[in-house]
Amino acid sequence: MLRRLLQIFGFVFCLTTSARGEPPIDFNRDVRPILSDKCYFCHGPDDKHREAGLRLDQAPKPEAKQVVVAGKPLESELIRRVASTDPDERMPPAKSGKKLSATEIETLRHWVEQGANWATHWAYVAPAKHEPPRVADENWPANWIDRFVLSRLDREKMTPAADADRVTLIRRLSFDLRGLPPSLADVDEFLQDNDARAWERQVDRFLASDAFGERMAVWWLDLVRYADTVGYHGDQEHHISPYLGSSTHSSTTCRSTGSRKRNWPVT
């Protein structure tokens, strides 16, 4: 009886999805995060933890084709198991401490219904050029990136927020590029510059500052656990680099990171 109810639900879902004309599901954006978070521990690339010989980080092998049947969520074992209310059949199992939300199950069902297209991890996919989309308000975009933003807002039936005042803009820019608030001199200079390229010049000024190099380098220094001292009970001095003192190492990193700023395009 339960299986029959799930089949009916799936059939109704497919009909309503088609009627709504929802945008296509993107595997890397919509599906992979769900599988990675909820399924990969038992069905991922690690063969030491893999259960039932099933991998979901790639398209199932022919012998496991019943797991995901493209275009047929009612015949797909994946959908049946994640949507099951039977604790002995539901995936992920209760002991894993993980559970798919109704929205996640619907996303997987929608993906299978649309053809269950798998994709290589986005990091290994060459960027594809897309023509900027048409938008309702042709006067709003200041550049081609704005067209993609406004297109999404149009699709969601939303309107852009009003432009921020210039003091707010330079404050946001300064924190983003330098990790510091703008000085009063920075603000005054920006407010007095009424040229059309004022924003671009302000970006260039911040990119040319030492603080920009420090801001960009700090992420890398955090990853290598950079510090002048150990930080534990003795808190004795230590050096990240075997050849250079840590202060020299950090300064070199900041300078080398900042030195590439002039090659970075700004739009």
Side-chain angles (χ1 to χ4, degrees), residues 40-206:
Y40 280 6
F41 183 79
C42 295
H43 302 295
D46 188 351
D47 55 7
K48 294 182 180 179
H49 290 96
R50 192 176 305 136
E51 301 287 345
L54 174 64
R55 292 186 64 170
L56 293 176
D57 60 312
Q58 59 188 22
K61 296 180 179 179
E63 58 267 27
K65 61 182 180 180
Q66 75 279 4
V67 174
V68 177
V69 182
K72 300 179 180 180
L74 301 182
E75 300 179 18
S76 298
E77 186 70 5
L78 172 67
I79 303 304
R80 187 182 76 80
R81 297 296 289 271
V82 298
S84 176
T85 57
D86 185 342
D88 293 329
E89 291 205 339
R90 184 174 61 244
M91 289 292 168
K95 65 180 181 181
S96 71
K98 296 180 178 294
K99 182 180 179 181
L100 270 71
S101 67
T103 300
E104 291 173 329
I105 294 174
E106 181 175 328
T107 296
L108 294 179
R109 199 189 301 272
H110 192 182
W111 168 65
V112 173
E113 194 270 336
Q114 290 186 358
N117 294 314
W118 299 77
T120 303
H121 191 281
W122 60 265
Y124 304 105
V125 178
K129 184 176 182 179
H130 299 276
E131 289 298 321
R134 294 177 176 242
V135 293
D137 184 359
E138 292 287 344
N139 295 320
W140 187 82
N143 53 53
W144 61 272
I145 296 177
D146 287 348
R147 287 185 166 275
F148 287 94
V149 174
L150 186 57
S151 176
R152 178 61 183 270
L153 292 176
D154 288 344
R155 190 162 66 247
E156 300 293 336
K157 301 186 184 309
M158 300 173 66
T159 56
D163 290 346
D165 62 87
R166 301 190 79 186
V167 173
T168 299
L169 283 176
I170 191 175
R171 179 178 170 82
R172 291 173 179 172
L173 180 67
S174 185
F175 274 115
D176 192 31
L177 293 185
R178 307 188 305 168
L180 300 169
S183 67
L184 291 177
D186 290 331
V187 175
D188 289 340
E189 184 176 8
F190 181 57
L191 292 180
Q192 293 169 15
D193 189 348
N194 296 315
D195 187 81
R197 298 175 65 88
W199 175 257
E200 184 175 343
R201 278 197 290 269
Q202 186 60 58
V203 171
D204 287 340
R205 282 193 288 269
F206 283 165

